[in-house]
Amino acid sequence: MGKSEMKMDRRAFLIRGGSVMLILPVGYAIAGCDDNNSNNGTTATSTTLMFTSSVTEGHQHDFTLDVTELSSPPSAGISRDTSVTENHMHTVVLSQAELGQIQAGQTVSKDTSLTENHFHTFTFSLAGASTSTGTGGTGGTTGTGTGTGGTGTPSGGGY
């Protein structure tokens, strides 16, 4: 390869690399990665649903529901702690009615308890659930996708 071809490859590399650097901040802003981000990922396995809170003060928490808590909501509802992040956790309380609403496909937004002068919001929805088990392939039609991070969403009450 001659010098002129080498310079062209370097130039093309730098242009492409610079384009990526310009696109990344825009993608970050579009994704809503700020303190007011209200949606949240949902990851499903065959027995649990894990929801991720909004970002507040630069961090977020996870909260896990058992699928049986949706299919047969306890009459007293549930009260459970979130994951520990930055050496603290919050509490989430969901009533029996709210668990039934989630099971019925509705979206339920709940604030956590106030801890260290802040709270987070969880958006509970089966519509955003994606599976996290298996390898290769894509999400299934009943929400039990077989791909890593599959895109299957629950339908007909499946997870």
Side-chain angles (χ1 to χ4, degrees):
M1 186 181 304
K3 281 187 174 182
S4 64
E5 291 176 276
M6 180 64 88
K7 286 181 183 177
M8 189 60 144
D9 286 338
R10 286 180 188 165
R11 181 174 183 266
F13 173 78
L14 292 173
I15 289 172
R16 287 186 185 131
S19 298
V20 170
M21 295 305 290
L22 291 173
I23 292 170
L24 285 177
V26 173
Y28 186 79
I30 290 172
C33 297
D34 60 38
D35 282 354
N36 297 319
N37 183 14
S38 64
N39 196 15
N40 327 321
T42 305
T43 304
T45 69
S46 61
T47 59
T48 63
L49 294 164
M50 185 175 66
F51 298 86
T52 302
S53 74
S54 60
V55 175
T56 303
E57 295 190 10
H59 70 280
Q60 59 195 29
H61 295 268
D62 292 328
F63 184 82
T64 302
L65 284 174
D66 294 330
V67 294
T68 57
E69 293 171 325
L70 296 180
S71 60
S72 299
S75 60
I78 62 167
S79 177
R80 184 174 304 129
D81 292 332
T82 65
S83 61
V84 176
T85 304
E86 295 188 4
N87 298 315
H88 72 278
M89 62 187 147
H90 299 266
T91 301
V92 176
V93 177
L94 290 165
S95 69
Q96 181 184 34
E98 289 167 329
L99 293 167
Q101 290 171 337
I102 297 165
Q103 172 67 22
Q106 297 175 19
T107 299
V108 174
S109 293
K110 289 292 285 198
D111 291 337
T112 65
S113 60
L114 184 67
T115 304
E116 296 188 7
N117 296 316
H118 72 278
F119 65 90
H120 297 266
T121 301
F122 280 91
T123 302
F124 296 98
S125 174
L126 298 181
S130 64
T131 60
S132 63
T133 60
T135 57
T138 58
T141 58
T142 61
T144 56
T146 57
T148 301
T151 57
T153 56
S155 64
Y159 307 102

